[in-house]
Amino acid sequence: MYIHLGGDVLLKTDRIVAIIDLEMTKLSQVNQIFLDKVHKDNRKINYISEKGREKTLVVTMTDLYFSPISSITLLKRSFTEVGKDN
């Protein structure tokens, strides 16, 4: 199954390690340390929206995606099959 992260980006759901709400990272020092490390590492960072408008960080084993879509919406999309009537 695939999940639409915004723009023209689709990911297989089995590649996703974590979906992190960026608002919540501001409340936790551990999350902030993780984000600082992400920016310093050589991992590929994909900005799907304009910088500063990100709502969610999607983590895979190889890449990071900053999405303009809320983590709640992405979570719901991860449980919905594309093309299936609900």
Side-chain angles (χ1 to χ4, degrees), residues 44-55:
K44 185 176 178 187
I45 299 175
N46 302 284
Y47 287 90
I48 300 169
S49 67
E50 298 174 26
K51 289 186 181 182
R53 301 195 73 165
E54 310 90 358
K55 293 182 181 177

Side-chain angles (χ1 to χ4, degrees), residues 26 31-32 48 55:
K26 296 175 184 174
N31 287 335
Q32 195 58 49
I48 300 169
K55 293 182 181 177

Side-chain angles (χ1 to χ4, degrees), residues 3-73:
I3 183 171
H4 178 246
L5 300 183
D8 59 355
V9 179
L10 288 173
L11 276 182
K12 283 189 80 170
T13 53
D14 63 357
R15 290 191 56 219
I16 296 173
V17 174
I19 297 174
I20 301 170
D21 183 330
L22 291 175
E23 280 297 314
M24 297 307 291
T25 61
K26 296 175 184 174
L27 303 175
S28 169
Q29 185 177 8
V30 171
N31 287 335
Q32 195 58 49
I33 291 168
F34 172 74
L35 281 179
D36 291 342
K37 183 167 176 34
V38 161
H39 287 291
K40 292 178 185 174
D41 284 350
N42 290 328
R43 291 180 69 176
K44 185 176 178 187
I45 299 175
N46 302 284
Y47 287 90
I48 300 169
S49 67
E50 298 174 26
K51 289 186 181 182
R53 301 195 73 165
E54 310 90 358
K55 293 182 181 177
T56 306
L57 172 64
V58 179
V59 180
T60 70
M61 292 300 287
T62 57
D63 299 327
L64 302 163
Y65 297 85
F66 283 98
S67 173
I69 299 172
S70 75
S71 59
I72 300 296
T73 300

